Amino acid sequence: MTANDLPARIDERACLDFLARMVQHKSYTETDGEKVLAGFMVEQMRALGLDASLTPVPGDRVNAIGRRAGTGGGRSLLFNGHLDTNPVSEGWTVDPWEGKVDDAFIYGIGVSNMKAGDAAYFCALRTLIEAGVKLKGDVVLTYVVGELQGGVGTAALIDQGVRADYFINSEPTDLAALTMHAAAFTFTVELTGKTRHMSKREEAVDAIAAACDLVPRLNAMKFSGARSSAHAGINRVHVGVVHGALGRELHEWRPPQVADYVRVRGSGRVAPGQSRAGAVADIKAVLGELMQRFPGLEASVTTEDGRLSMPAFEVPRDSRIVRALNRAYLAVRGTEQPTGAVTPPGFYGTDAGHLFERAGMEGIVCGPGGRYNTMPDERVDIVDYLDMVRIYMLTILDICEAG
């Protein structure tokens, strides 16, 4: 049997059933459900013969970590994905916990973000083991929690010494090879004007009017200092909260008059080589121009510190892990793999940032799903999920080597 024969050996029904079982676990972030799913993953990894266990995460949480030891002499490969999910929103037309499979899709909350990626690397390794393939290098499967809290689960496993020569983070990229993504940060802008009764609004400095001027300018920003057009291409700002009324307590109980205070909260993305400090300086410059357009307005910006945030991530296009993944994609799909700072995934924050910056590891972000991510009737194309299993199999063989 050759490596090219192995992708045809996957049990498609078993792969879909395994993903459906993961979806059926209600693993909302920071709930007992994520512990239950982590325990399930440990049981499944042990059934494959992996050395697997639950490991602690701050906040009385756990990761599920498993290792398939190689025979020696090969490179090791770590897969990384999170088990915690967002809540179910309004607008679903299918049961978000059923793991429904039809002719084209598998549905469920968290199936795209990112249980399909989690299941794909489990099924890839399972298929190799069941085919009797021996590997020279170790394969490490990590199922983490706390991605929605800035990646606390991955930070914990790194601090506990979990490492490999290369990694694949399986966040949903629609099977593109993401070689760079931005760092994420959040900010708060405070605008303070001067209130007057509406009869004398010409004398006021209207903080809401200033906010209406400001928000589209923030949303259009790209920060200074980008290393290249590709780096500039994953810069982004978006305002998600605007609250204005009277005073810093935002009083709304009297009939409205000219608002003198607005709080604006948003998120920013900066590429590798750019800094949060530089981004804040750019926002301050925009606020300076705003204050000139609205004489008497006071404006300031602060960032949220003390909470873990996702660092930027970048890997050279000629890295062995990138080339291995590209070769596997070509073998499975017969076309070149989209590779680079692909958007929208380039705007993500992912645990790859921690593996890159905190652990000093070289890796790639590539997973099934993305098109229907974080929306009602969240789903993943079946063909993409199964092809991801095949691509991961060939990548494992390339990096870890049969022997």
Side-chain angles (χ1 to χ4, degrees), residues 4-5 30 92 117 152 166 196 262 293 316-317 337 345 384 392:
N4 289 334
D5 296 326
E30 295 187 288
W92 281 72
V152 295
Y166 300 100
R196 292 291 188 274
V262 172
R293 291 192 296 276
R317 290 282 293 267
Q337 185 176 27
D384 284 358
Y392 285 162

Side-chain angles (χ1 to χ4, degrees), residues 27-29 82-87 97 109-110 113-115 148:
S27 56
Y28 282 172
T29 193
H82 64 86
L83 299 176
D84 52 330
T85 76
N86 290 299
W97 312 113
I109 188 67
N113 187 22
M114 57 176 288
K115 291 179 179 179
L148 296 172

Side-chain angles (χ1 to χ4, degrees), residues 80 88 167 169 178 182 188 218 299 321 331 346 368 393:
N80 174 259
V88 174
F167 73 83
N169 174 276
L178 183 66
T188 300
L218 290 176
I321 185 62
M393 286 174 59

Side-chain angles (χ1 to χ4, degrees), residues 231-245:
H231 289 75
I234 56 171
N235 276 221
R236 178 164 283 196
V237 176
H238 191 77
V239 170
V241 176
V242 179
H243 196 173

Side-chain angles (χ1 to χ4, degrees), residues 170-181:
S170 300
E171 287 279 6
T173 65
D174 289 314
L175 276 64
L178 183 66
T179 62
M180 177 168 63
H181 72 58

Side-chain angles (χ1 to χ4, degrees), residues 280-402:
V280 170
D282 289 345
I283 294 173
K284 285 181 178 178
V286 171
L287 296 181
E289 295 168 356
L290 180 74
M291 289 186 283
Q292 291 180 3
R293 291 192 296 276
F294 290 82
L297 180 76
E298 296 179 6
S300 65
V301 58
T302 56
T303 58
E304 292 185 5
D305 296 316
R307 179 184 182 274
L308 189 66
S309 60
M310 300 290 193
F313 153 78
E314 186 172 17
V315 63
R317 290 282 293 267
D318 62 353
S319 165
R320 179 174 174 183
I321 185 62
V322 178
R323 290 185 284 111
L325 192 68
N326 288 165
R327 284 191 290 267
Y329 185 98
L330 180 61
V332 171
R333 293 207 150 177
T335 59
E336 298 293 330
Q337 185 176 27
T339 301
V342 181
T343 57
F347 297 121
Y348 292 176
T350 80
D351 282 320
H354 294 309
L355 294 167
F356 168 70
E357 183 178 88
R358 198 180 190 107
M361 291 171 58
E362 197 168 290
I364 190 77
V365 181
C366 178
R371 266 190 297 272
Y372 310 104
N373 186 34
T374 315
M375 60 183 286
D377 292 349
E378 182 179 345
R379 57 199 182 272
V380 171
D381 296 86
I382 291 172
V383 65
D384 284 358
Y385 168 59
L386 296 176
D387 276 357
M388 193 80 268
V389 176
R390 297 180 177 102
I391 292 165
Y392 285 162
M393 286 174 59
L394 293 180
T395 306
I396 292 169
L397 287 168
D398 193 321
I399 295 294
C400 302
E401 301 177 50

Side-chain angles (χ1 to χ4, degrees), residues 31-45:
T31 68
D32 286 342
E34 64 180 21
K35 287 184 179 179
V36 174
L37 180 53
F40 170 80
M41 299 308 295
V42 166
E43 291 173 2
Q44 296 299 309
M45 289 189 286

